[in-house]
Amino acid sequence: MKQYLALGALALGLAAALPASAASFSFGFDNVLSQDAVDEAGNTQLSFNLGAGSFITGLRYEFDVEAYTGSWLSEMSLRITGKSGEGFDFVPASDRNTEGRYSASGSLDLLNQGLGFRLGSDGKLKLQFYDDVNDLAGADGIWHSGKLTFDYVAAPVPEPATWATLAAGLGALGLTAARRRRRADTPG
């Protein structure tokens, strides 16, 4: 029983030594075309390494977009995903079924909207600028400028001292168990 209590205490100590940390990542962009339907080769695709297992919790944005004549602002989209494809589509002017120019800023609490997601083992946050309906030859619009800030919780990364402490604790448990077995096997 004591060895199970010791293992439990060791696990709790390790969990306490590995706190997750909140972080933000921002980037700006200029003159990105809204080109083709999602996953087409002509789309602008970017990826950023935020760390394996990081959990995306929020998005703050500001942008200035323009839908060219013959296309609508509501078709201009940004796919935001991790390695497994988990994520969401950000459509900044979803209620504007018109061509022209539009600017806005705001934020999304992805956790409260059920849109938070975890990045894969490669740690990459992937962005793809696309047009939901490819109704023009060439680009359907342009993201003149913008800034996106992603809030996320970085996955904990144990430090070497944490691993050394864990190894020493497991070694001590092994020695204690071996000593008890020897005592139990020794006729007395």
Side-chain angles (χ1 to χ4, degrees):
M1 179 67 175
K2 286 182 183 179
Q3 65 193 40
Y4 294 115
L5 289 174
L7 279 174
L10 182 64
L12 285 174
L14 182 60
L18 299 175
S21 59
S24 294
F25 169 74
S26 296
F27 82 99
F29 55 89
D30 292 310
N31 301 318
V32 176
L33 294 176
S34 188
Q35 189 81 15
D36 294 320
V38 70
D39 295 331
E40 294 290 328
N43 295 335
T44 299
Q45 299 185 40
L46 306 170
S47 66
F48 303 97
N49 191 338
L50 302 184
S54 292
F55 191 76
I56 307 300
T57 61
L59 170 65
R60 288 171 275 149
Y61 58 87
E62 53 187 71
F63 61 84
D64 175 21
V65 296
E66 179 181 0
Y68 297 149
T69 300
S71 190
W72 288 353
L73 287 162
S74 61
E75 298 169 358
M76 298 180 71
S77 304
L78 174 62
R79 177 153 290 177
I80 302 168
T81 60
K83 181 178 182 180
S84 65
E86 187 179 0
F88 65 98
D89 289 328
F90 176 59
V91 184
S94 60
D95 60 342
R96 299 193 177 265
N97 293 331
T98 182
E99 57 199 35
R101 200 159 177 165
Y102 178 66
S103 298
S105 63
S107 64
L108 297 172
D109 183 343
L110 301 178
L111 288 179
N112 285 336
Q113 295 183 16
L115 297 173
F117 64 97
R118 187 168 302 285
L119 300 180
S121 59
D122 65 355
K124 290 192 177 174
L125 175 67
K126 298 179 181 179
L127 308 177
Q128 179 182 171
F129 294 86
Y130 72 97
D131 197 82
D132 195 41
V133 178
N134 191 10
D135 39 21
L136 299 176
D140 290 13
I142 187 168
W143 299 67
H144 286 290
S145 63
K147 180 180 177 184
L148 300 174
T149 300
F150 293 92
D151 298 321
Y152 65 99
V153 177
V157 177
E159 295 184 21
T162 302
W163 287 113
T165 303
L166 175 63
L170 291 174
L173 286 173
L175 289 173
T176 303
R179 189 177 309 151
R180 285 186 182 162
R181 257 188 255 122
R182 270 188 260 131
R183 282 187 191 160
D185 291 343
T186 305

